[in-house]
Structure formats: C-alpha cells, structure tokens
Amino acid sequence: MLKIENLHATVEGKEILRGINLEINEGEVHAIMGPNGSGKSTLSAVLAGNPAYTVTEGKVTFNGKDLLAMSPEDRANEGLFLSFQYPVEIPGVSMTNFMKAALNGKRKYQGLEPLSASEFLKLQREKKKFVEINNDLTNRSVNEGFSGGEKKKNEIFQMAMLEPTLRILDETDSGLDIDALRIVATGVTKLKNEKNATIVITHYQRLLDYIVPDFVHILYHGRIVMTDTKDLVQKLEKDGYDWIKEQFPD
Amino acid sequence: MQINDYIEALPTHRDENYLYTDARDAMEPVEDVVNASIDATGIGGSVVGKVLNVADCGAVESAIAQELVNLNTVVISDVLGIEFNEENPTPVEVMLSSEGGKSVLAQSRVDIVATENSKSQMIVRTNGLKSAANCVMSIDVKANATLDVVFVQTEKNDAPVFVSTTANVAEGAKLSISTININPGFVRNNVQVNLEGEHSHLALNGVYEADGGHVDNTTLVNHLVPNCTSEELYKGVLNGDAKGAFAGRIVVAPDAQKTSAQQTNRNMLLSTDAHAYAKPQLEIYADDVKCSHGATSGQIDQTQLFYMQQRGIDKQTAMRLLTSAFALEVVNKIPVESVRNEIASLANIE
C-alpha cells in the first residue's frame, strides 16, 4: 500500500528526515516510536503533504501512485488520513459544512455524486457511535472550544466518516485522560479491517495496549534505527531511549 | 454654476477624506447627467411613499460628501420620500437603476423618515446601476424609533458608484446601516450619522468581498449628546488586485459624556496584489467615555487550510469556507433576515 524509500525532508532549512525506508501493507499496524525531536511528526506531516515541509530526496508510493506529486487533498481522497496531534480550530465553519465538503470532495474524486442531505445525516448519525460523540459537537464550529478529549474524538469521528485506507495517528494519545483514551483507541480498533493500515506515532505504551502493533519502529535522528515486534514497546517502557542514543551516536 | 463646475469641485486624492478614492477622477468625463430610476416595493399601509420636489426637501449636510451632495441637489428634480409609521413586518425594498455606462452620470435621492416609536427595515439595492451613479440618502430617525437599512450590491457595477448617506438619530432611537458589496466594480460609500438625542444607538456593519475592483467605506459618527452608543464592524476579503479602504472617524463632542463607541476593521488579503487601507480616527473632546478602534489585515490561516485539505477538501473550496467564516461575524449582524440568508447562502456548500 505504502512504500517509503530513502525519504529526506527539511523544515526551515533544517534536515529532519534523513533517509526513511518503510513498507506498509493492507491490514498492518505499525507503531513509530522515538525520543522527542526524532522526526516522528515530521514524517506524518510530509506524508500528508504539509507545505511547511520540503522533501529533498526520496520516493513515496501510495497505491502504486507517486504520493509526493499529489496535492494534500488528493492524498486524502486517495485514502490517506492524518489524525492531528493538535487538531485545528476553525471558527465560523460548522462541523456539518466541513464534513459535507470533505465527504463530497472524496466522492467527487471517486466520480460519485454528492450525498443528499438525508443520506449525509444518516451516515453522520451512524458514525458518531464509534466515538460516543454527541450532537452538540457536530453542531458547532470545527474544534472551536472543544476540550482536548473532544478534539481527538472528533478526529476519529472524521476518520469514521471518511473511511481512509491509511490511517496515521500522530500522538493521538497526548492530552487524553484514561476514559477518552479508551474511547478513541476503541474507535480506531473498531474501524480497523483487513483492507486498511494504521501508523501509530506515540511515546507511550498505553495507546498500543488497545491498538496492538504488528511492527514497532524506532525513529531516531531522522532514520528508522530499529524494527521489531510489539515486545520492543515493553523494553522502551522499562528502559527508555538512552540505550538507543548510546547505540546510535550521531 | 454649470454642472461641470460641480464635477470639477469634486474632491480628489489631495482631500483628506478622499485619500483612497479620487471622486473627480472617477467621474470624469461626464457626457450626460440623468435621474436614476427608483423602484420601490413594500410601500403602503403605514409606510407612506411620495415623490417630493427637491426644493421642498431640506438640505442634506455631509462633512464627508458635501460636494457629491451639492452635485446631486443641482441635478435632481424628484426625491423619493418614505415615511415609516408604526411597526412594519416586511422590509421596504428600493432598487436603483440606470443605463448608459461610464460617461453617463445618474443621480438619485431618497429621504427617509422613521416617525416616533416606529420599527422598520429597508433594503436598498444598487445592482441595477449600469452607469456612473451619485446616490444620496437622508435618514431621520425620530425618538424611540428603530430603523435598519441595508445596502446590497452583489453584481459588478462597471461604472463608479457613490452612495452618500446622512442620518440623524433622535432620543432613544436605534439605527443600523449595513453595507454589503460583493464583487464591486468601483464603489465609494459615505455614511455620516449624527447621534442627536440621548440614549440613541447606532450599528454600522460592512462586508466587502472583491476580486479586483475598488471599494471604499468612509464613515463619520458624531456623538453630539451624552449616553449614546455606536458600534462599527467592517470586514473585507480582497483578492486579485482589489483595493479596499476603510476610513472611520468618530467625534465625541465635549458634552457627550458616557459615550460608548467602538470601531473595528478587519481585512483578509488573498493575493499579493490586493491592498487594504485602514484609517481609523478618534476625536474625543469629552472625558468620561469608552471608545476603541482596531484595524487588522491578515492572510488565510495556513494551518486551517492544510487541515481542511487533509480531509479531502480542495484548496479552492477550503478558501471559500474560510473567507466566508471570516465574513460571517458581520453577516450575522445584518438585521434584515432575508438579506442575511441571501448573503450567507452565497457561501453555502451544496
């Protein structure tokens, strides 16, 4: 599904990704862990097409297409979804208008007619159940005045609506209390199937207790320095990252 | 004086009130001067409409548009007078139209009186002006009356349009004037309001969206007596080589204690060639007042734009949603529901 080869990227002239190689297939869950500043969030931003980042070298193929040549909206409509670490507040744009524009953007990309108002509302009602999101939130402006937990639930609600094939969770666990974490993580798990793949970027074990990874990668200084099974998570939880830093001095 | 003398007397860039709009340059050359046609609906019942002779109407005084008013007065013969009595659930709608292109100058004058305790709304549409236009409006809001006036332009006028309003507001009365210019060609709006009676209230709302073109809102609010409030909010979205100007002056007279006056102008610039000019002026001669003003210009928030694109919303649609959201704050303040819905629907996603 996704193949990353020798990906290098810079932000404000500083090289953050320094040769990432990663292959992800349908149905797989990949955890990407690593100390602060190792490039985890940059990787997700670059894959999503954030214009603040510049790719200087490398190649990314998504469903056989050149991902890096696509606009952010085309990447999304092709099936890539990024759950933001800091979901953006958009005062004055209602969740309904936003979600309708997103859904119909994807349908247009797929050559389908836009959903009718009643079809849209029905779908919205169904999908809200995945994250126990209440009507109040969908009647408000996008993320405006939402609590940290509500923002993350809203990300997963959008994921449920858009049914992406590649789901990238960028520190979705940050700022969540235990209950919200459970709801969010359960939502992601329920939406998992053999056709979609998941990249979980996190510092901690707790999210991975719910969303069990098939592979765990350690990103350090812009490179994946180690790939293992989920057992690696326990070692990191116990020993931290110091041994990585010693093993891979820059 | 000949008509050309009046045109010659119009203010230019050198005039402090016309820094951003050269009235004389915009009007010249004039080959023909005509009356604009005025169609009004909603007159009848307690709303009285009459065609008056200009000689019988009082002089309109404007500190920001006197030369335009003088030119208007010398040309115009008929004035549409509208008197609002009691409460009127349906807004009166006035449509101004003209033909002839830039070399023809059309004039119109509408005098409004909202009698004591009346409550009314009025829409003035200028889409039909297909020549240069010099429109003058006089508004008299009597004690405890409420009047909402909305100027709406949503189709490009090819020739310059000047709309100059002078309003007097009496004790306990409430006046709102909303000015909407979507896709303007060349527009200059002059609004002067004299708060003459205590406990009167004024709201000025303005929204302009231009892809190219010129739009200038110049306002003067005179707080002449104590205990009055005024709030002004003008927001603009400028694209292409559009030029948007806002010049707002608030004068608080020495006696006008306990005045509360607010003024805000915000612009969103979507291109490097678009220009926004803001000139707020506060002149306060009283010592117990609350006055504020603010002016900003900014761009589309890139993090919001990227967030929307990441959800599959194409850039153009995302920008439309964001600019509409920016304008929504003013659109929501338009007191005439039909116009509010009309403007809001321009931004809806189907």
Side-chain angles (χ1 to χ4, degrees), chain B residues 178-199:
Chain B
S178 307
T179 308
I180 300 151
N181 294 107
I182 312 280
N183 191 20
F186 188 103
V187 177
R188 160 77 180 232
N189 301 304
N190 296 303
V191 176
Q192 175 175 343
V193 179
N194 306 313
L195 295 169
E196 297 180 331
E198 283 196 44
H199 302 286

Side-chain angles (χ1 to χ4, degrees), chain A residues 156 167 184-193 207 210-212:
Chain A
I156 308 308
R167 308 150 353 134
V184 163
T186 310
V188 174
T189 311
K190 277 193 216 156
L191 293 164
K192 181 179 182 305
N193 59 41
L207 184 60
Y210 292 95
I211 311 168
V212 182

Side-chain angles (χ1 to χ4, degrees), chain A residues 48-51 72-73 76-77 80-82 84 88-93 97-98 101-102 105 143 155 158, chain B residues 301-304 306-317 321-322 324-326 328 347-350:
Chain A
N50 188 328
E73 56 266 42
N77 291 328
L80 186 150
F81 182 96
L82 172 61
F84 282 60
V88 180
E89 298 195 12
I90 314 178
V93 176
N97 252 354
F98 171 77
N143 291 323
E155 295 292 283
Q158 294 171 39
Chain B
D301 183 315
Q302 292 300 314
T303 61
Q304 292 177 340
F306 175 64
Y307 187 70
M308 296 175 99
Q309 288 179 279
Q310 207 308 298
R311 295 305 184 244
I313 303 172
D314 67 83
K315 192 173 181 180
Q316 207 185 341
T317 304
L321 282 167
L322 289 172
S324 304
F326 174 77
L328 190 70
N348 267 359
I349 295 300
E350 294 307 329

Side-chain angles (χ1 to χ4, degrees), chain B residues 164-316:
Chain B
S164 303
T165 303
T166 297
N168 296 317
V169 186
E171 188 176 356
K174 291 192 175 84
L175 170 67
S176 80
I177 299 176
S178 307
T179 308
I180 300 151
N181 294 107
I182 312 280
N183 191 20
F186 188 103
V187 177
R188 160 77 180 232
N189 301 304
N190 296 303
V191 176
Q192 175 175 343
V193 179
N194 306 313
L195 295 169
E196 297 180 331
E198 283 196 44
H199 302 286
S200 58
H201 176 70
L202 168 70
L204 295 182
N205 311 308
V207 57
Y208 43 99
E209 288 188 35
D211 190 348
H214 177 110
V215 53
D216 178 342
N217 282 290
T218 295
T219 68
L220 168 60
V221 178
N222 280 320
H223 278 267
L224 300 168
V225 294
N227 296 310
C228 296
T229 53
S230 67
E231 42 189 273
E232 277 179 83
L233 177 63
Y234 281 76
K235 281 185 132 179
V237 178
L238 302 169
N239 202 352
D241 61 353
K243 179 174 169 182
F246 172 81
R249 188 167 152 221
I250 297 170
V251 182
V252 181
D255 290 341
Q257 303 295 1
K258 305 288 180 191
T259 287
S260 166
Q262 285 174 22
Q263 182 195 85
T264 308
N265 173 228
R266 302 207 185 288
N267 293 288
M268 188 181 261
L269 299 169
L270 302 186
S271 78
T272 48
D273 290 334
H275 287 80
Y277 302 89
K279 188 170 158 245
Q281 282 177 278
L282 286 181
E283 289 173 35
I284 303 171
Y285 302 103
D287 54 15
D288 184 12
V289 301
K290 263 201 300 204
C291 295
S292 68
H293 68 81
T296 58
S297 290
Q299 281 96 35
I300 288 262
D301 183 315
Q302 292 300 314
T303 61
Q304 292 177 340
L305 184 63
F306 175 64
Y307 187 70
M308 296 175 99
Q309 288 179 279
Q310 207 308 298
R311 295 305 184 244
I313 303 172
D314 67 83
K315 192 173 181 180
Q316 207 185 341

